């Protein structure tokens, strides 16, 4: 409801106003990663509701909340806080991967394995090679690759091409869950995402 949305926005605004007021008064507040995690939960929930109200996926709101609260914007979380929360991030990714894998049941795989495998192979061929070439051609514009020999640039370009193949099970599961999508297309999309993520690991090792 609009009332609940307004209340959520007001809570986040009050937290930010309190932090800025304390900083302006010269009072040092030890925030830390626990505070950052709590703020992200509250701000993410609020931003998700705002995104849903605007007929956008809630995931969009979560991403915006993280960007705004991060060390490159409002600095509610410092770089050390983000680094300290890496364990939470790794745990969340592991749970998402497990959920994605568990969603692909044996009956689903029996129905979709041919189309999923064919689509994954085509994407691997179509994406990796062209993106590697593009990466190599624009390598001169990337400062961190300055001074490398051609062989090293080619290896870096191949790694970049493989990384371009990666997909996000988290985004796929979030969109499918929020929309309640069911059917062959949803099963195919999730299957391709999972297969590509599995395929990226050996390709990355080879690159």
């Amino acid at each position: 409801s609009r009332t609940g949305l307004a209340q959520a926005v007001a809570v986040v605004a009050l937290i930010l106003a309190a932090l800025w007021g304390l900083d302006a008064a010269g009072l040092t507040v030890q925030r830390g990663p626990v505070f950052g995690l709590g703020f992200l939960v509250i701000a993410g929930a609020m931003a998700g509701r705002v995104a849903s109200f605007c007929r956008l996926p809630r995931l969009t709101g979560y991403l915006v909340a993280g960007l705004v609260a991060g060390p490159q914007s409002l600095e509610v979380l410092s770089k050390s806080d983000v680094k300290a929360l890496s364990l939470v991030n790794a745990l969340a990714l592991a749970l998402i991967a497990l959920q994605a894998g568990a969603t692909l049941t044996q009956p689903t795989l029996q129905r979709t394995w041919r189309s999923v495998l064919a689509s994954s192979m085509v994407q691997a061929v179509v994406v990796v090679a062209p993106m590697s070439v593009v990466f190599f051609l624009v390598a001169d514009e990337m400062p961190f690759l300055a001074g490398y020999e051609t062989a090293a640039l080619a290896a870096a370009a191949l790694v970049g091409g493989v990384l371009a193949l990666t997909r996000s099970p988290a985004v796929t599961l979030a969109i499918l869950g929020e929309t309640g999508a069911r059917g062959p297309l949803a099963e195919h999309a999730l299957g391709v995402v999972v297969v590509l993520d599995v395929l990226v690991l050996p390709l990355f090792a080879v690159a």
Side-chain angles (χ1 to χ4, degrees):
S1 65
R2 293 187 178 183
T3 302
L5 179 61
Q7 291 174 346
V9 173
V11 168
V12 174
L14 286 173
I15 295 174
L16 291 175
L19 291 175
W20 290 335
L22 291 172
D23 289 342
L27 300 176
T28 302
V29 179
Q30 297 295 333
R31 300 175 187 176
V34 176
F35 172 84
L37 179 61
F39 179 83
L40 284 178
V41 171
I42 296 173
M46 180 275 295
R49 297 182 69 171
V50 172
S52 179
F53 181 78
C54 297
R55 299 185 181 278
L56 294 172
R58 288 180 179 268
L59 185 63
T60 303
Y62 302 155
L63 293 172
V64 171
L67 289 172
V68 173
Q72 306 302 327
S73 187
L74 298 181
E75 296 184 350
V76 177
L77 279 81
S78 64
K79 292 182 179 180
S80 60
D81 293 337
V82 175
K83 186 176 181 179
L85 292 174
S86 60
L87 178 61
V88 177
N89 183 45
L91 178 60
L93 289 175
L95 292 175
I96 290 169
L98 287 172
Q99 182 184 359
T103 303
L104 295 176
T105 60
Q106 183 176 354
T108 300
L109 291 174
Q110 289 177 343
R111 290 195 303 269
T112 63
W113 74 270
R114 288 186 178 85
S115 62
V116 166
L117 188 60
S119 180
S120 300
M121 293 299 103
V122 169
Q123 288 192 50
V125 173
V126 171
V127 172
V128 174
M131 288 306 299
S132 297
V133 172
V134 171
F135 195 98
F136 183 81
L137 292 176
V138 301
D140 292 339
E141 306 299 327
M142 301 180 184
F144 63 90
L145 292 177
Y148 282 88
E149 297 180 355
T150 303
L153 290 178
L158 183 58
V159 172
V162 171
L163 291 177
L165 187 64
T166 57
R167 299 293 181 266
S168 174
V171 174
T172 305
L173 286 172
I175 297 300
L176 294 179
E178 186 172 342
T179 59
R182 297 290 185 273
L185 181 59
E187 294 174 351
H188 177 84
L190 183 58
V192 169
V193 168
V194 172
V195 169
L196 287 178
D197 266 17
V198 173
L199 187 61
V200 161
L201 296 177
L203 287 177
F204 189 77
V206 171

